[in-house]
Amino acid sequence: PPPVELVEASSSGIVLAVRRRSDGSALATVSLSPLEGASFFVEGLNDPPDEVEDWLSSANSFFAEKPRLSLAQALEELLSTAPGTATSSRARGARSQDDDEDEDDDDMDEDEVFVSEDFEVEPQEGMDREAQRAAFSEDQRWNDMVVTSAAQGSRQASQVLMREMRNLMALRGDGDRKALEIEMVDDSLYRWLVKMHAAGFPDDCRLRAELERFAAEHPSGVAAIVMDVQFPSAYPMEPPFIRIVRPRFQMHTGHVTIGGSICMQLLTPSGWLPTVSLENVFVSIRSEMIEGEGRIDFSPIGKRDYTIAEAEEAFKALRRDMGGWRGERGVG
């Protein structure tokens, strides 16, 4: 493995300085953090070159398929596949051999296993070849989306967002009966439109009844809290910005600011956890709205959507009231 130096260690992960084994020159500074739903997530710091991006993307794909890795195993995988190391090609070959041994491929042909750069689709019992081709085509579509969206952030962040979106889209339910409905804005993985349907709230929750009333009175006819979710290029190391588009809430209810941004410690830089899944983020938002006795504003003003300018201003005001976020430069 290449020479490596521990730069920082905390409850959220570790930062490593990795050097090339050949000449000792700097290869990359990387952050390795535990991630819910995938054992670990590794991110290159300080604008890494393409060879490092490819290396880390490959490692993250491996981590996603091995949710029970220990830290030692994750480090071994990461360092053994580093570019320019003598063991990198051998380690990749050993991994491929291990994967082959896990599958009974005596009767497989080229139509039965499809492998793309980031996904592997294996034949499932009872799945015909047409279904296999459809599954491969869908995986390839998502893979292309990751490549296209990487320009807005990084390939690693795009991979995490792709997995998060697919997990959320796979939640049970259909139409208005589905607790969460997700769609991309302008085909970008970094901006989502999320509908938190009334059906996801308890039957005895007043907010659920008010959402149903809102749907009857609003031109959209949708009984849901519609949210605009924007992800930073450094996701999941930094939190998303989440604001409500509609309906407007009454002041000081549901932990919603006057401008529609979500008032929740988890969504601040000091309270954010890179390991939390987006499903749990939305579950927390819904719980906060219920606990905060959220009420919809049915006045004439309440018929207008929140604007992004309102949300950003309200979030900045909250930040000023709190004296800035802990951990920011110049903020204790």
Side-chain angles (χ1 to χ4, degrees):
V4 61
E5 177 185 352
L6 178 64
V7 177
E8 180 182 337
S10 67
S11 58
S12 61
I14 58 176
V15 176
L16 303 171
V18 185
R19 297 186 176 277
R20 297 182 186 275
R21 186 175 181 83
S22 57
D23 59 8
S25 62
L27 174 62
T29 301
V30 301
S31 171
L32 182 68
S33 305
L35 187 66
E36 187 172 324
S39 51
F40 291 91
F41 176 79
V42 61
E43 179 186 33
L45 307 180
N46 306 323
D47 194 22
D50 289 344
E51 67 168 345
V52 172
E53 288 274 10
D54 291 343
W55 164 44
L56 301 182
S57 295
S58 177
N60 283 326
S61 295
F62 179 79
F63 295 155
E65 298 169 359
K66 308 287 184 181
R68 296 182 181 180
L69 284 182
S70 67
L71 176 59
Q73 291 171 322
L75 286 172
E76 180 181 7
E77 167 64 22
L78 181 66
L79 297 178
S80 68
T81 57
T85 64
T87 58
S88 59
S89 59
R90 185 166 65 250
R92 282 191 288 270
R95 183 203 300 177
S96 177
Q97 182 177 357
D98 289 342
D99 290 343
D100 289 344
E101 292 174 353
D102 290 338
E103 300 296 331
D104 180 10
D105 56 2
D106 291 341
D107 299 321
M108 290 184 182
D109 62 24
E110 62 181 2
D111 287 329
E112 291 180 300
V113 177
F114 302 91
V115 180
S116 67
E117 185 173 357
D118 292 311
F119 309 101
E120 182 171 328
V121 181
E122 298 173 354
Q124 300 177 16
E125 186 176 352
M127 178 183 285
D128 60 25
R129 293 187 178 183
E130 189 63 31
Q132 292 173 31
R133 292 189 182 95
F136 171 70
S137 178
E138 178 68 4
D139 283 345
Q140 189 61 53
R141 183 178 72 86
W142 282 99
N143 183 58
D144 292 342
M145 194 180 302
V146 166
V147 174
T148 302
S149 296
Q152 302 172 48
S154 69
R155 186 159 182 174
Q156 297 99 292
S158 298
Q159 285 179 319
V160 173
L161 288 170
M162 176 273 295
R163 285 195 293 267
E164 290 278 15
M165 172 165 272
R166 295 191 77 174
N167 288 339
L168 288 169
M169 293 177 70
L171 293 176
R172 289 178 299 176
D174 185 41
D176 293 348
R177 293 186 298 277
K178 197 167 188 175
L180 287 174
E181 183 180 349
I182 316 290
E183 62 182 84
M184 288 182 289
V185 177
D186 296 329
D187 293 325
S188 171
L189 283 171
Y190 289 81
R191 188 167 187 178
W192 299 359
L193 188 71
V194 177
K195 295 177 183 176
M196 187 177 288
H197 287 285
F201 290 84
D203 292 340
D204 60 353
C205 176
R206 177 178 289 185
L207 183 55
R208 174 173 179 154
E210 291 193 352
L211 283 170
E212 292 168 350
R213 174 187 166 187
F214 175 80
E217 298 179 7
H218 193 269
S220 69
V222 177
I225 296 168
V226 180
M227 290 176 281
D228 177 26
V229 183
Q230 300 180 43
F231 297 94
S233 59
Y235 184 85
M237 308 312 294
E238 296 177 5
F241 178 66
I242 303 179
R243 71 181 184 94
I244 294 174
V245 177
R246 75 178 77 89
R248 282 183 176 263
F249 277 59
Q250 294 182 23
M251 288 184 61
H252 307 302
T253 71
H255 296 285
V256 178
T257 69
I258 191 172
S261 54
I262 306 297
C263 181
M264 194 166 71
Q265 181 70 14
L266 178 62
L267 297 177
T268 66
S270 60
W272 174 248
L273 298 172
T275 58
V276 71
S277 69
L278 288 174
E279 181 180 357
N280 284 337
V281 168
F282 291 118
V283 167
S284 297
I285 290 174
R286 183 169 55 216
S287 297
E288 290 287 291
M289 289 178 175
I290 295 171
E291 185 274 334
E293 299 181 352
R295 301 291 305 277
I296 293 177
D297 183 356
F298 286 102
S299 71
I301 293 178
K303 295 180 180 179
R304 294 188 292 108
D305 288 355
Y306 289 111
T307 66
I308 189 168
E310 286 179 282
E312 289 176 343
E313 181 56 37
F315 202 66
K316 289 176 183 176
L318 179 65
R319 175 180 171 179
R320 289 194 299 268
D321 292 343
M322 294 178 65
W325 307 128
R326 180 170 52 83
E328 277 191 327
R329 182 175 299 176
V331 178

